[in-house]
Amino acid sequence: GQKINPVRLSFQYAEPAHSDAYKKHFQCPMLFDQPTNTITLPINILGVENRKNNDYLYQILKEHAENVLSKVDVQVNFVDEVRGMIAGRLCHGNFSAEEIAASLKISKRTLNRKLNDENTTYQAILDSIRKEMAISYLEQGECSVQTIPFLLGYSDSRGFLRAFKRWTGGSVKKYTM
């Protein structure tokens, strides 16, 4: 009987004109033009028991999911893998190109070559992630403007504020009001 709201939604398509209806319904930050469609749920949902569990329906849905997954190419897109690694490491500070390459068991040169083959660069991916996360943090309002630079791997707020202005053409204030 408890309503569970997502923490964040990501969509592969461009933001539609009626996105306000999405925001009103889901009440969480939404990112458009993303590499994958994702629903991020709160961690506490893992402890929620479904008292209306239907074993028969579960078996039908499980078989259908397994059938669909067997036909899907499970090869993770290299750029998405790098994005995920960077995003997960930003607040810890170990997200340099060298560290990401080492985690992938490749050289930095190979990392750069593979990203170049995908028409992107390490810096472009890093900037994109930082921009998305900064806007999301600001729109959620759960993080102070002083905390966000450190969550995004900046050593001080000046670098973050300059980058934010470059990304958005405006100041942080327009996202906090």
Side-chain angles (χ1 to χ4, degrees), residues 37-50:
N37 292 317
T38 60
I39 301 172
T40 305
L41 297 169
I43 191 74
N44 64 347
I45 194 172
L46 294 174
V48 175
E49 181 182 340
N50 182 358

Side-chain angles (χ1 to χ4, degrees), residues 2-169:
Q2 167 186 350
K3 184 176 180 184
I4 300 171
N5 286 330
V7 175
R8 178 185 353 231
L9 298 172
S10 299
F11 302 97
Q12 290 178 309
Y13 51 86
E15 184 169 358
H18 60 280
S19 67
D20 289 343
Y22 285 38
K23 292 174 184 170
K24 184 178 179 183
H25 179 77
F26 290 109
Q27 300 176 351
C28 70
M30 284 174 261
L31 303 170
F32 296 90
D33 292 318
Q34 300 302 300
T36 58
N37 292 317
T38 60
I39 301 172
T40 305
L41 297 169
I43 191 74
N44 64 347
I45 194 172
L46 294 174
V48 175
E49 181 182 340
N50 182 358
R51 297 179 196 266
K52 296 182 180 180
N53 185 33
N54 181 325
D55 287 330
Y56 175 71
L57 179 59
Y58 171 76
Q59 287 303 320
I60 291 171
L61 293 173
K62 182 179 174 188
E63 286 177 26
H64 179 68
E66 288 171 353
N67 184 34
V68 169
L69 287 173
S70 71
K71 296 174 184 172
V72 173
D73 179 14
V74 293
Q75 180 70 22
V76 175
N77 177 305
F78 183 73
V79 173
D80 289 342
E81 185 175 7
V82 171
R83 282 180 61 85
M85 292 179 88
I86 294 170
R89 295 169 173 219
L90 279 177
C91 65
H92 302 293
N94 60 341
F95 59 90
S96 70
E98 292 84 3
E99 290 166 313
I100 297 297
S103 293
L104 293 167
K105 297 181 177 33
I106 59 176
S107 67
K108 180 182 174 191
R109 184 175 170 148
T110 299
L111 171 70
N112 289 330
R113 183 181 45 77
K114 286 181 143 194
L115 292 175
N116 190 47
D117 290 347
E118 298 287 333
N119 298 315
T120 191
T121 65
Y122 177 83
Q123 191 61 49
I125 293 170
L126 178 60
D127 282 347
S128 170
I129 293 167
R130 282 175 158 171
K131 175 185 175 186
E132 291 165 19
M133 291 177 79
I135 290 170
S136 177
Y137 287 142
L138 290 167
E139 288 177 345
Q140 281 180 334
E142 294 178 8
C143 299
S144 71
V145 175
Q146 293 79 19
T147 304
I148 293 173
F150 302 103
L151 292 173
L152 300 179
Y154 286 95
S155 58
D156 63 46
S157 60
R158 288 175 298 171
F160 165 69
L161 294 173
R162 280 193 307 272
F164 192 86
K165 187 168 186 169
R166 186 179 73 243
W167 300 329
T168 65

